[in-house]
Amino acid sequence: MKLPLFPLQTVFFPGETVPLHIFEERYKVLIADCRAQARTFGIPVFIDNTLAYGTEVQLREIVNTYADGSMDVVCVARQVFRVETFEPEFGDKPYPGGEVRFLDTVNDADPDLTEAVLEACRELYRLMDLPFGPIRREVFGSFTLAHKMGLSFRQEYALLQMPSEQQRLRFILEHLQATSTVVADLNRTREQIEMNGHFRNFDPLDFEDFKLD
């Protein structure tokens, strides 16, 4: 499938809302074309000076249009794709485009693994003293909280490429458990630092049976 392309140095996951500020002339044309033709476009991830994977998005709304023609738009991310070909100009259009191949996704989520991920999320948020809102399990997936788990840009990009839901959930669980360990250690260190210089009660030691080794 051929798509207009809007490369960005960020990762968008299927199902999420994508707010964009459009100011380059070529991408103003892209948005106008997608609106007029009711077509989707792709946002391939620009990383290490390459374009390999990205997400198809659909224009939902043009929220604001400014005097210089720049726009605030809202899109919805749909499917993950791999870039097969890239053209700096898409036919007679000024914006890029190319051939993409959509990834086949495997919905093999395990209920116990899903619950473990949710519990690990709650624990991390508890350690960080952050509110963790209610989650509807029937719509929860690996991409639901992907931007709210402290994943690095490279970790998000790696997650995007995984076709298996179970594989993504395991990846996220390992990250959450490792992060919780680090946060818990930092919290203990902070408590020790805060106690430094304060009077503390120490239990007296009994030296009656004390012997030198």
Side-chain angles (χ1 to χ4, degrees):
M1 180 178 181
K2 284 196 169 184
L3 283 179
L5 297 177
F6 185 180
L8 289 173
Q9 198 168 11
T10 191
V11 175
F12 293 112
F13 295 108
E16 77 171 297
T17 299
V18 180
L20 298 172
H21 178 66
I22 310 297
F23 59 91
E24 287 190 58
E25 292 300 325
R26 55 182 171 170
Y27 296 122
K28 293 177 190 176
V29 177
L30 183 153
I31 293 298
D33 285 352
C34 288
R35 186 184 192 185
Q37 301 166 19
R39 72 177 304 177
T40 60
F41 64 99
I43 299 183
V45 182
F46 185 74
I47 182 171
D48 296 331
N49 207 36
T50 62
L51 298 171
Y53 291 89
T55 312
E56 177 196 27
V57 301
Q58 184 169 26
L59 179 66
R60 174 187 285 175
E61 181 183 6
I62 297 176
V63 180
N64 296 306
T65 302
Y66 301 94
D68 62 357
S70 61
M71 294 172 278
D72 295 326
V73 305
V74 174
C75 305
V76 178
R78 297 177 55 175
Q79 305 176 75
V80 180
F81 60 76
R82 179 172 176 82
V83 180
E84 299 290 319
T85 64
F86 180 81
E87 306 165 27
E89 294 184 349
F90 195 37
D92 60 350
K93 300 295 182 179
Y95 48 78
E99 189 86 25
V100 304
R101 175 175 54 84
F102 293 110
L103 269 60
D104 293 327
T105 58
V106 182
N107 296 316
D108 55 354
D110 177 83
D112 292 339
L113 182 57
T114 300
E115 185 57 38
V117 169
L118 284 169
E119 186 55 38
C121 283
R122 293 189 194 96
E123 175 62 11
L124 177 60
Y125 274 57
R126 185 192 66 78
L127 288 169
M128 298 181 70
D129 197 24
L130 294 172
F132 185 75
I135 299 294
R136 293 171 54 198
R137 284 173 174 75
E138 65 271 19
V139 297
F140 176 79
S142 57
F143 294 140
T144 306
L145 296 175
H147 287 312
K148 300 179 181 180
M149 299 179 182
L151 294 173
S152 69
F153 175 48
R154 290 186 181 278
Q155 285 176 315
E156 289 188 345
Y157 186 59
L159 186 70
L160 186 74
Q161 300 172 49
M162 297 177 188
S164 164
E165 175 69 359
Q166 190 148 314
Q167 182 184 11
R168 293 192 295 266
L169 288 170
R170 286 201 186 101
F171 179 86
I172 289 170
L173 182 60
E174 289 175 5
H175 166 77
L176 288 169
Q177 291 172 337
T179 303
S180 290
T181 299
V182 171
V183 172
D185 288 343
L186 286 173
N187 286 344
R188 282 191 292 271
T189 301
R190 181 174 59 193
E191 289 171 1
Q192 290 173 348
I193 291 171
E194 289 173 349
M195 288 183 67
N196 186 35
H198 293 275
F199 292 104
R200 290 179 287 169
N201 291 324
F202 292 95
D203 292 332
L205 298 175
D206 182 2
F207 292 106
E208 288 185 6
D209 297 322
F210 175 74
K211 294 180 181 180
L212 291 175
D213 188 4

